[in-house]
Amino acid sequence: MDLINVPKIVISCEQDIIVHEVDEGQPCLNCGERCSGFTQHKWRNTCSVCKCLRERHDIYNENFVNIRDRLGWKRNDDPSAQVSKDRTLREGYTWIPPGLSSDQIEEYMEQLPNHKIPLVGRPGERYRDVQIIRQLPKQDLSMEYCKMIHSSVEKKEYDIFRELRDSIAMDIGIVQEAPSLSSCDQCKGEIESTDLAVYAPKLGVEMCWHPACFVCCQCEELLVDLVYCSHTKKLFCERHYAEQIRPRCPACDELIFSGEYTKAMDENYHKDHLACHNCDKKLVACRYIVKDENPHCIPCYQELYAHNCEECKKPIGPDYKDLSYKDRHWHEFCFKCCECQNSLVDQPFAPKNDNIYCSDCHDKNFAARCDGCGEPFRGGDEEKGIEGMKKFEYKGKQWHEECFVCMVCKQPIRNKSFIPRDNDAVCVPCYEEQFAQKCSKCNGVINKGGVAYKNQPWHRECFTCTKCNKELAKEKFTSKDDQPYCADCYGELFAKKCCRCSKAITGLDGFGGTKFISFEDRHWHSDCFVCYKCNNSMVGKGFLMNEGDILCPECGRN
């Protein structure tokens, strides 16, 4: 790989840094109107009004920030390594990488997440402001902003830390075109030749990053204005680099340069900074309780967070178990049934009318009762694997599973089908045996679609013609000696025969029956009673008989 021309970074370990952070009176982003504005605690990195962290307030840099001024480094006279305020604002940003053309600046910015692009008046401007304050804490950059460095030894250690950091670890990244195909050290993706890449001179020319991948390996935020620290071949922001070298007190947010400090809650504190978050009482060698990641002395914890017992109305201190149910709290020894006074610890219980009862007292007083045996329905206990009683409801009544029985055989019906009878239930076998209609022919139970004839029930398929077994449901039929016959069989077996057409006179071939004429044991259909000569109807007229034939008087005379 060809070597890249990396502009030389000139570092001067001057003690003066330029910081114009506005924090006093700024609103809290957590508390809103509940906080009257940030007021610095006398030694904590918190607001003395709302006790929220300083960084949770709307803190900002008052003036345009040149990052070299913040670091206390001399401004570089090389124009390729320095960008003026006018040029930066003219491009529309609060910061731009040095040494790039306008087109390259746009190409670089397009690779960053939208909300992190430092456009003037956009969310990215606020993001950069926050990261400058967060990644480059002023107390790490100048002793002027440290409150906990007092002895000459601590001052000496601080100077050594700063000089070694500035000369060995900290630098400003450089953005330029990649001379050849490369690989991003963060995401391992390709960086093609002439693509813009970020280089960290402290880590050599072999390592490069996509613009959006040039981040702190710990907080994973974009390294603000490309300021980085190298440690164990990794990129860190200054804050997290410093914490690799020195412990940081979480109370005051300063690095600890004293040889004597306190370790608690997996953190390192200045000796006097392990204190109650509320009253600042020193907690070294004292009992304390952690709430929301902050230590509290016992009195403050009880005042701020301890619940009052529902029974005795006294605070539930840290020495007692706090038993709770739906925002209500009890001492362990106060958690008992309001009726029998037995302890409910690790026992099933039930609330009723703002009181709590053991399961027996609750069932005795309030539980629904079985209409069969009169005993209550008892609930279960999931923790002990005890199932609650099943309840069967029918016509406004309720039964235990074993009490909901057939009125005939007295066996539990459970989940089987049943047939209602009056206000009772009958299982299917008993119903079929004792109450169901049975077919007059086969004696089988009629479940559906039966036929009634002469007040007797029949299966549809069993109600057939006595002679030919044709189903008679929905068919016209008649009977003889209480036996049903279809029209054809009845006519064939029992009906009178018409002397003219020889067909049966059954009365089944039309609505209202069939009219017929009888004379001297001879029979005719009404339509067939006509003159054998002229076919004129003789119904209601005088007629003559000639060898068994009917003649009208006129044809008889002829």
Side-chain angles (χ1 to χ4, degrees), residues 201-254:
K202 295 286 187 186
L203 293 174
V205 296
E206 298 297 328
M207 300 175 68
C208 60
W209 293 261
H210 292 113
C213 294
F214 197 64
V215 298
C216 170
C217 69
Q218 187 160 329
C219 64
E220 297 184 344
E221 294 290 351
L222 288 178
L223 290 165
V224 64
D225 292 13
L226 305 181
V227 176
Y228 71 94
C229 290
S230 63
H231 183 67
T232 63
K233 293 284 186 180
K234 295 179 181 178
L235 294 176
F236 290 86
C237 64
E238 192 285 331
R239 168 179 287 275
H240 292 119
Y241 163 80
E243 292 170 8
Q244 303 294 312
I245 309 302
R246 286 283 183 175
R248 187 183 298 278
C249 176
C252 65
D253 201 36
E254 291 186 28

Side-chain angles (χ1 to χ4, degrees), residues 85 239 453:
K85 174 182 176 180
R239 168 179 287 275
Y453 175 63

Side-chain angles (χ1 to χ4, degrees), residues 63-74:
N63 299 319
F64 179 85
V65 178
N66 183 301
I67 207 65
R68 300 183 71 86
D69 293 342
R70 172 109 183 167
L71 298 175
W73 293 358
K74 277 187 176 181

Side-chain angles (χ1 to χ4, degrees), residues 469-528:
N469 286 327
K470 175 183 179 181
E471 288 190 19
L472 297 179
K474 296 186 179 180
E475 298 286 343
K476 290 184 177 182
F477 69 92
T478 188
S479 63
K480 178 72 173 177
D481 300 328
D482 291 332
Q483 297 296 320
Y485 293 89
C486 66
D488 293 338
C489 290
Y490 182 85
E492 179 184 340
L493 296 173
F494 308 112
K496 299 176 175 62
K497 301 295 191 297
C498 177
C499 293
R500 177 72 186 257
C501 68
S502 300
K503 293 181 179 180
I505 303 173
T506 63
L508 301 174
D509 50 358
F511 293 104
T514 300
K515 293 180 180 180
F516 64 96
I517 311 296
S518 295
F519 179 70
E520 294 181 352
D521 296 327
R522 300 178 70 190
H523 309 282
W524 292 265
H525 288 108
S526 179
D527 292 340
C528 294

Side-chain angles (χ1 to χ4, degrees), residues 293-428:
E293 300 183 0
N294 294 308
H296 293 76
C297 65
I298 302 303
C300 285
Y301 177 83
Q302 290 195 167
E303 178 185 348
L304 296 174
Y305 304 111
H307 300 102
N308 287 332
C309 175
E310 289 282 334
E311 181 68 19
C312 68
K313 309 304 179 184
K314 295 179 181 179
I316 304 173
D319 295 326
Y320 301 101
K321 282 187 178 180
D322 182 341
L323 303 182
S324 65
Y325 174 73
K326 289 189 175 179
D327 296 328
R328 301 172 69 193
H329 299 262
W330 292 264
H331 289 106
E332 183 179 20
F333 50 81
C334 291
F335 191 57
K336 52 192 176 183
C337 174
C338 70
E339 183 162 315
C340 68
Q341 298 300 305
N342 287 332
S343 173
L344 296 178
V345 177
D346 297 327
Q347 298 297 320
F349 68 93
K352 188 71 175 181
N353 300 329
D354 292 331
N355 292 316
I356 52 173
Y357 296 82
C358 65
S359 56
D360 290 338
C361 290
H362 180 271
D363 291 344
K364 180 179 71 175
N365 292 300
F366 308 109
R369 294 183 178 272
C370 173
D371 285 300
C373 67
E375 291 297 316
F377 293 94
R378 302 188 185 278
D381 189 337
E382 292 185 5
E383 293 184 359
K384 295 184 178 180
I386 301 174
E387 293 186 2
M389 292 180 171
K390 291 183 179 179
K391 182 194 294 184
F392 287 79
E393 295 184 354
Y394 175 64
K395 286 191 174 181
K397 294 184 178 182
Q398 50 195 3
W399 292 265
H400 292 117
E401 182 178 22
E402 63 273 11
C403 296
F404 187 58
V405 298
C406 169
M407 63 174 286
V408 177
C409 66
K410 304 303 181 184
Q411 294 299 310
I413 293 175
R414 304 188 192 280
N415 293 324
K416 295 181 291 187
S417 298
F418 68 90
I419 292 91
R421 186 166 182 82
D422 299 328
N423 290 323
D424 294 312
V426 184
C427 67
V428 173

